[in-house]
Amino acid sequence: MRIEGIPASAGYAEGPLFDLDRPPAAYRCKATAAEEKAALKAAIARAVSRLTSLAEPADADAAGILEFHIAMLEDDALGGPAFVSIDSGQPADAAWRAALDAEIAGYEASDQDYFRARAADLRDIRDQVLRALSEDGGIDAPAGAILYGMDIAPTRFLETDWSRGGGIALKAGSSASHVAMLARSRGVPMVVGLGVFGDDPTGVALLDAEHGDIVLSPSPADVEAFRESSSSFAARQGKAQTFLTQPAATKAGTPVRVQVNIAYPSDVGGIDIASCDGVGLMRTEFLFGKALPDEETQFHAYRKVLEWAGDKPVTIRTVDAGGDKPVPGFTVEETNPFLGLRGIRLSLARRDIFRVQIRALLRAAVHGNLKVMFPMIATTEEYSQAATLFAEEQAALATRGVAHKLPPLGIMVEVPSVAIAPEAFANVAFFSIGSNDLTQYVMAAARDNAAVANLNSVRHPAVLRLIASVAAFGQQHGIPVSLCGDAGGDPAAIPALLEAGLRDLSVAPAQLAMAKAAIADVSV
Ligand code: PEP
Ligand code: MG
């Protein structure tokens, strides 16, 4: 039986299935409410110390996630309702489960992918404490297993020894989750959105996380075809590494610029600047975490990336909050956030917050080759208002004698109105096509909904025709056009993008080698 889902981290895994949703061992109730409370307190402390020991050897991404879990557990507000229920006669395990389930339900009901993805973190925290309460050490998955379940806890991911192979197959899950991010950076195959499959499937399964499916109870022919695809993927990956250090060019020798997309300034730590042509997209909304970052924090973050890149260009995008990227204290509750107050619309509505970012960018521009672009531009008025704010803040910095520089200002082409009628934007410094959003808006198929993933294709002729017309418009008017959506790093989409006239792509760092190898295979 083959079940289709959404690829969240490319790769192949063949191995025994391991059920992630196995219930923890039973809890033995105590005699009094005071003892129940003491047991819960001790279990929370044990969970914290377990997480602390996991965080010590972990890399920066993983440590950040674990520290978030520790901070949640140490926050009395989370466990508060559980202690109240114990006072009214509940045992510790039921009280803790009910309190956390209520919290999780709130996150799961959110129509924003970011919050739904955080529900997995809360389930992880809930189960950590339940395991500590029942003194259940957990059962280890066999070597090379495919871990399957509704979702996977980040700590379960970090505890697993992936050096022995294996993969992750989720009935629900999200490619925006913390685990998906970790899986991509460590090359662990992962598929999400598979839906409910079979009652307790067992035996060996075949996980194809390049295309996003799983085969249960495979036939010998299935296994043979799977192994062929898997070794072709491994061979492509191995071959791709040899392209990493070379400038990208097609088979016919046409040079193609390949830049990288980053989110955090620390991302550059793992990238050799010699392997890319600069940063084509820095998504600054990830700096806007729990609290809004002040001017100094932003200035240092941007400066760090600019200094790392030397004279290579760094394109920093002004905050694209909203849609699937809510920022507490900034974004608003909306019934349809992808069509709401997101990107430049929100920045122009909250100019106090936008001006802080503009000042940080103007000051950082002195430290490298900065370009700035605006997300979700739909009309020329939005561009001119944003450009005017840059001019006003520049004048104010000049009056105060603060070192600064006005960078070239460009726009994301991701709203169909711009791609259809780019002529109104002939005065902008550059275009960067956001194929993730352009595709979802052209196809009316949300980028984060497994049920319509088949429609969300950058290779649909309607999307490709728009991309080609934007590339042609840029050529005619001397406006540089790049593409920074995920399609730029997708070997299956690269031939069509180059055919459409693009010669400048910006890709996730993990896709750099594969993208260059795919470019070398195209004849344009
Ligand atoms: C895009 O829409 O393609 C893009 C690069 O922006 P984001 O994925 O951050 O919306
Ligand atoms: Mg976008």
Side-chain angles (χ1 to χ4, degrees):
M1 180 168 64
R2 180 183 304 272
I3 303 149
E4 307 277 343
I6 303 175
S9 171
Y12 288 78
E14 175 182 347
L17 286 163
F18 177 83
D19 182 5
L20 289 165
D21 299 331
R22 174 191 69 85
Y27 168 69
R28 276 197 307 264
C29 293
K30 309 286 175 284
T32 65
E35 282 175 81
E36 291 288 356
K37 282 206 254 186
L40 181 54
K41 260 199 193 127
I44 294 174
R46 270 203 301 281
V48 168
S49 87
R50 214 173 133 262
L51 290 170
T52 312
S53 62
L54 270 181
E56 271 155 21
D59 59 31
D61 282 344
I65 294 165
L66 294 166
E67 277 155 19
F68 170 71
H69 286 191
I70 293 168
M72 294 283 281
L73 275 174
E74 284 177 339
D75 180 354
D76 289 342
L78 186 72
F83 287 99
V84 173
S85 304
I86 292 176
D87 273 333
S88 56
Q90 286 239 33
D93 67 328
W96 174 259
R97 181 183 286 282
L100 270 285
D101 282 350
E103 194 79 13
I104 291 163
Y107 278 77
E108 277 173 343
S110 169
D111 53 10
Q112 305 194 342
D113 206 35
Y114 174 87
F115 282 121
R116 283 199 307 279
R118 295 294 80 77
D121 293 303
L122 276 168
R123 272 196 295 274
D124 192 357
I125 290 166
R126 178 195 64 196
D127 295 345
Q128 293 280 329
V129 174
L130 288 175
R131 254 163 79 177
L133 266 172
S134 59
E135 279 152 32
D136 176 354
I139 298 172
D140 284 337
I146 296 172
L147 277 50
Y148 83 96
M150 282 316 278
D151 210 338
I152 179 170
T155 44
R156 165 64 87 174
F157 179 91
L158 294 169
E159 284 165 353
T160 304
D161 176 6
W162 297 107
S163 66
R164 302 175 298 167
I168 302 166
L170 300 183
K171 299 171 185 174
S174 154
S175 58
S177 69
H178 276 147
V179 171
M181 192 177 86
L182 290 171
R184 284 192 290 271
S185 73
R186 299 194 186 174
V188 176
M190 174 169 173
V191 177
V192 300
L194 288 160
V196 176
F197 52 88
D199 281 340
D200 201 12
T202 47
V204 166
L206 308 173
L207 182 72
D208 172 353
E210 188 180 14
H211 305 100
D213 62 55
I214 189 167
V215 178
L216 308 176
S217 317
S219 67
D222 289 330
V223 173
E224 196 184 330
F226 176 87
R227 289 186 183 161
E228 243 169 61
S229 311
S230 164
S231 37
S232 134
F233 179 77
R236 274 179 283 136
Q237 273 208 318
K239 194 172 146 222
Q241 288 309 312
T242 62
F243 288 88
L244 193 58
T245 49
Q246 293 163 33
T250 66
K251 210 185 272 179
T254 308
V256 177
R257 278 160 48 83
V258 186
Q259 306 186 75
V260 288
N261 294 346
I262 62 166
Y264 300 97
S266 58
D267 288 353
V268 299
I271 310 166
D272 177 3
I273 183 66
S275 66
C276 66
D277 294 303
V279 174
L281 166 65
M282 177 172 177
R283 291 178 161 103
T284 60
E285 49 279 8
F286 293 100
L287 296 174
F288 288 62
K290 281 186 200 151
L292 297 177
D294 62 17
E295 185 179 319
E296 281 314 297
T297 307
Q298 291 191 58
F299 167 72
H300 288 294
Y302 307 149
R303 177 177 174 169
K304 176 179 167 149
V305 178
L306 286 160
E307 287 179 342
W308 166 80
D311 55 6
K312 291 190 178 175
V314 172
T315 305
I316 299 185
R317 182 173 72 184
T318 63
V319 57
D320 182 22
D324 57 345
K325 293 173 286 194
V327 173
F330 188 29
T331 48
V332 290
E333 277 292 316
E334 297 175 296
T335 49
N336 200 345
F338 274 129
L339 298 183
L341 203 56
R342 72 170 279 213
I344 196 68
R345 304 167 183 187
L346 182 62
S347 294
L348 291 173
R350 294 293 308 273
R351 296 184 181 204
D352 48 335
I353 293 172
F354 194 25
R355 283 182 189 275
V356 174
Q357 181 169 41
I358 293 174
R359 285 195 292 276
L361 287 166
L362 287 165
R363 288 173 50 209
V366 177
H367 297 280
N369 183 357
L370 176 65
K371 296 156 127 192
V372 169
M373 69 181 168
F374 305 124
M376 286 294 290
I377 290 280
T379 68
T380 49
E381 289 73 29
E382 290 165 334
Y383 171 76
S384 5
Q385 286 175 26
T388 303
L389 292 177
F390 265 82
E392 286 174 9
E393 289 302 328
Q394 185 197 12
L397 288 176
T399 310
R400 284 165 45 208
V402 178
H404 69 279
K405 197 168 140 193
L406 182 66
L409 301 177
I411 62 168
M412 293 283 295
V413 178
E414 54 185 347
V415 176
S417 63
V418 180
I420 292 167
E423 55 281 359
F425 295 91
N427 59 332
V428 309
F430 60 93
F431 289 157
S432 183
I433 298 174
S435 51
N436 303 336
D437 279 312
L438 186 62
T439 305
Q440 79 162 343
Y441 295 134
V442 169
M443 300 305 295
R447 56 195 275 181
D448 60 352
N449 184 343
V452 293
N454 59 323
L455 291 171
N456 191 289
S457 168
V458 75
R459 286 185 284 160
H460 188 282
V463 183
L464 286 176
R465 192 177 299 170
L466 279 180
I467 291 175
S469 72
V470 173
F473 177 83
Q475 266 223 312
Q476 281 156 19
H477 294 81
I479 303 173
V481 180
S482 64
L483 179 141
C484 63
D486 287 330
D490 176 1
I494 284 173
L497 297 177
L498 298 184
E499 288 293 341
L502 292 172
R503 298 291 180 266
D504 192 341
L505 305 174
S506 192
V507 309
Q511 290 301 112
L512 202 48
M514 286 292 244
K516 287 187 176 187
I519 291 167
D521 244 6
V522 179
S523 321
V524 297

